[in-house]
């Protein structure tokens, strides 16, 4: 009986650690989206000043829009997965998962 309790505690600990790794991976992914968005923003800002490309207004606007879209998609992705992680947190130690389609 004691072996079963110890095994269940080990399983619950593993699940909690896996959940924490998932949270950290979600945060890391958001930071990658943010970094990419900032690269496009900096490219748009430096196009006219650093490279002095003629008629660069359209390219700058395209880079700014791309930066904004990447930032919005990254933010939506982060909160969607954060919600999913918090909803599945209740299953730790339960072993009866609810499967659902998004």
């Amino acid at each position: 009986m004691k072996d079963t309790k110890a095994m269940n505690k080990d399983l619950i600990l593993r699940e909690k650690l896996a959940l924490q790794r998932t949270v950290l991976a979600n945060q890391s992914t958001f930071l990658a989206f943010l970094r990419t968005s900032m690269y496009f923003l900096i490219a748009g800002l430096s196009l006219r000043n650093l490279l002095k490309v003629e008629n660069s207004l359209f390219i700058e606007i395209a880079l700014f829009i791309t930066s904004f879209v990447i930032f919005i998609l990254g933010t939506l992705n982060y909160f969607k997965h954060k919600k999913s992680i918090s909803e599945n947190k209740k299953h730790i130690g339960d072993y009866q998962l609810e499967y659902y389609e998004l």
Side-chain angles (χ1 to χ4, degrees), residues 9-77:
K9 284 184 180 180
D10 288 343
L11 287 173
I12 291 171
L13 177 62
R14 285 183 189 173
E15 288 177 356
K16 286 184 179 180
L17 291 173
L19 186 65
Q20 187 61 35
R21 282 191 302 269
T22 305
V23 168
L24 291 173
N26 189 30
Q27 292 172 353
S28 176
T29 304
F30 173 69
L31 291 174
F33 272 102
L34 182 64
R35 181 182 61 230
T36 305
S37 172
M38 290 174 63
Y39 285 153
F40 278 96
L41 182 68
I42 290 170
L45 290 172
S46 64
L47 192 64
R48 183 182 299 176
N49 298 332
L50 233 59
L51 301 176
K52 299 188 191 269
V53 176
E54 293 181 20
N55 300 325
S56 62
L57 182 63
F58 296 117
I59 299 171
E60 287 178 22
I61 291 173
L63 289 171
F64 292 150
I65 290 172
T66 304
S67 172
F68 182 71
V69 167
I70 290 173
F71 178 73
I72 295 299
L73 289 175
T75 304
L76 292 174
N77 182 44

